[in-house]
Amino acid sequence: MSYRDLTVESMLRALARDLPSRDALITPTIRWTFAELDRRADIVARSLVNAGLRKGDRAAVWATNRPEWVLLQFALARAGIILVTVNTSLKAHEVEYLLRQSQANALFLIAGFRDVNYVEIFRSLPALPDLRHVFFMDDGEPPQGMRSFRELEAESPEAVFEPQDVDDVINMQYTSGTTGFPKGVMLTHRNIVNNGHAIATVLNYTPADRVCVPVPLFHCFGCVIGVMGAYTHGASIALVEAFDPLQVLETIHKERCTSIYGVPTM
């Protein structure tokens, strides 16, 4: 069983149909099957459309490896909204450049990570004329001027999703900018689904596999090779929020992971 040459959202629909009760996403706080992930993605996608976002709009996600990140990856895709990935270590001028250059219409962010306060950074930025929606992904009362992500997870009225093609852009990732300003690389459904499929085929993944993903989702290693790679072959993902050796080993042991991703230093 494998999936390729599909849109991101139609791949999830196929997984929910073919492997509804199989674990899709596992963290210390949640365990979602493919049917559950599909149901949640549909609710959030409807909420986004009802909030005024449309196919071709761009939504930046500035967060660590949380279940909501993967949920958004599929919810945005279902609505045809382009996911713009944001490095969790960016400083104010870098975030401003990314949001302005990508013409982001929505931003999803957590309170912060390590010693970086995302809310303070965001509040320090000059006006961004394209940015219409800001959603706070942590629990509790959202900061002033932001809406709670939990609102999007509540049941929402039906919405019409615009038709999509496998060659529509659905993901934008920024290069490091080592020798100049970072460039937003425009990736299509076919790009990321088939990239994941190729990797998973070489690794011989099946629905019996469980992939430990401690690499950041904002990078293609996480959201493409990690998420798409596993799901094109029906494998489960055990997600680690940020790399910690003990937490990774505990995850591998508890979930009986058959595969793990990492860079040499990890």
Side-chain angles (χ1 to χ4, degrees), residues 179-195:
T179 58
F181 288 111
K183 283 81 175 174
V185 180
M186 298 184 291
L187 301 170
T188 66
H189 293 274
R190 195 196 303 269
N191 286 152
I192 64 175
V193 170
N194 286 11
N195 186 354

Side-chain angles (χ1 to χ4, degrees), residues 10 37 77 103 146 148 180 189 199 214 237 240 252:
S10 61
L37 178 57
Q103 298 179 305
M146 301 183 189
S148 172
H189 293 274
I199 292 289
I237 292 172
V240 179
I252 294 169

Side-chain angles (χ1 to χ4, degrees), residues 229-244:
Y231 288 176
T232 57
H233 286 64
S236 306
I237 292 172
L239 193 64
V240 179
E241 183 170 10
F243 178 71
D244 173 82

Side-chain angles (χ1 to χ4, degrees), residues 249-266:
L249 289 171
E250 288 174 342
T251 300
I252 294 169
H253 176 71
K254 180 181 178 182
E255 302 301 337
R256 295 293 186 260
C257 294
T258 58
S259 178
I260 179 173
Y261 293 148
V263 297
T265 51
M266 295 164 68

